[in-house]
């Protein structure tokens, strides 16, 4: 019985002492996320999918595809504004605790994509014409994320992001906030 108790205690202690190796160079992750573009939950939102590849020191490369959906009001009509973007960038670990289960990262990305206004239809119900056009867009993005490991392979993220977009007839500065789950493999 003593041997069994000692074995159980050693097993528990070894699980507590052993730490997973996180943020290893070459480790890949697939992130699924979403969030808000404004205070309106039902109207203005985004979804994204991100591939990340860790480098030395907890930093990582980012490849992201994103869909944004928002509405603009016109005489009681909701005009849909949709944006499809791709981003490539690099995120640097700013802060982390010694066990690497909580980290604050900041990243810069290059953004390119396409925006559609009213699904490409320039005429409205009352005969008014939308002067803004569908456009190819480009720009830069900044991402600040708080990341915490739920398990060795699952990471929960809180994002605060902003984009500067050129080639658009809409807003130049586009902030957003969201959450995500990353699955490391």
């Amino acid at each position: 019985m003593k041997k069994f108790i000692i074995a159980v205690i050693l097993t528990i202690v070894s699980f507590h002492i052993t730490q997973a190796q996180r943020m290893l160079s070459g480790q890949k992750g697939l992130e699924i996320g979403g969030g808000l573009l404004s205070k309106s939950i039902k109207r203005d939102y985004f979804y994204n999918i991100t591939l990340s590849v860790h480098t030395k020191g907890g930093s990582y490369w980012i490849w992201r595809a994103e869909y944004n959906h928002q509405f603009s009001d016109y005489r009681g009509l909701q005009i849909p504004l949709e944006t499809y973007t791709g981003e490539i960038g690099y995120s640097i670990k700013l802060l982390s605790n010694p066990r690497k289960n909580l980290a604050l990262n900041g990243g810069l990305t290059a953004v390119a994509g396409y925006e559609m206004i009213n699904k490409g239809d320039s005429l409205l119900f009352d005969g008014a014409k939308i002067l803004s056009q569908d456009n190819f867009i480009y720009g830069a993005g900044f991402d600040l994320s708080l990341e915490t490991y739920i398990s060795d392979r699952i990471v929960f993220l809180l994002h605060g992001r902003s984009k500067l977009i050129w080639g658009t007839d809409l807003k130049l500065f586009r902030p957003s906030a969201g959450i995500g789950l990353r699955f490391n493999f």
Side-chain angles (χ1 to χ4, degrees):
M1 186 67 173
K2 284 185 181 181
K3 288 182 183 180
F4 178 74
I5 293 173
I6 292 172
V8 169
I9 291 173
L10 287 176
T11 303
I12 292 171
V13 169
S14 68
F15 281 136
H16 183 67
I17 294 173
T18 304
Q19 296 179 27
Q21 295 182 1
R22 298 174 176 158
M23 302 179 205
L24 295 174
S25 182
Q27 184 178 34
K28 295 174 180 68
L30 184 64
E31 176 187 335
I32 299 169
L36 304 175
L37 300 169
S38 70
K39 293 179 184 176
S40 175
I41 295 173
K42 294 181 181 177
R43 296 173 27 139
D44 303 337
Y45 57 88
F46 71 89
Y47 298 116
N48 64 33
I49 187 164
T50 305
L51 175 69
S52 60
V53 178
H54 280 273
T55 60
K56 292 183 179 180
S59 301
Y60 52 87
W61 286 99
I62 301 168
W63 291 273
R64 179 179 294 135
E66 184 170 287
Y67 169 74
N68 294 334
H69 187 273
Q70 50 191 352
F71 284 103
S72 181
D73 293 324
Y74 173 75
R75 294 186 182 179
L77 179 69
Q78 304 277 313
I79 300 172
L81 311 170
E82 298 173 301
T83 308
Y84 303 89
T85 58
E87 298 180 52
I88 297 174
Y90 193 73
S91 184
I92 298 170
K93 181 179 74 170
L94 302 174
L95 295 171
S96 157
N97 65 348
R99 289 189 170 195
K100 296 183 182 178
N101 58 2
L102 184 66
L104 180 68
N105 286 21
L108 290 173
T109 60
V111 180
Y114 190 74
E115 69 182 7
M116 290 177 46
I117 301 168
N118 199 28
K119 299 182 181 178
D121 189 9
S122 62
L123 289 177
L124 299 176
F125 69 97
D126 62 355
K129 183 175 182 179
I130 298 174
L131 298 177
S132 300
Q133 299 178 355
D134 297 351
N135 291 310
F136 285 100
I137 56 173
Y138 59 94
F142 174 74
D143 184 19
L144 190 63
S145 65
L146 181 64
E147 306 174 2
T148 183
Y149 278 79
I150 297 172
S151 72
D152 292 338
R153 298 201 179 269
I154 300 174
V155 184
F156 178 75
L157 297 98
L158 292 174
H159 286 284
R161 295 195 318 218
S162 61
K163 295 179 188 173
L164 288 173
I165 302 292
W166 292 280
T168 181
D169 290 336
L170 304 174
K171 296 178 184 175
L172 176 69
F173 180 70
R174 301 180 184 183
S176 63
I179 61 172
L181 271 180
R182 181 184 307 142
F183 303 95
N184 291 331
F185 50 94

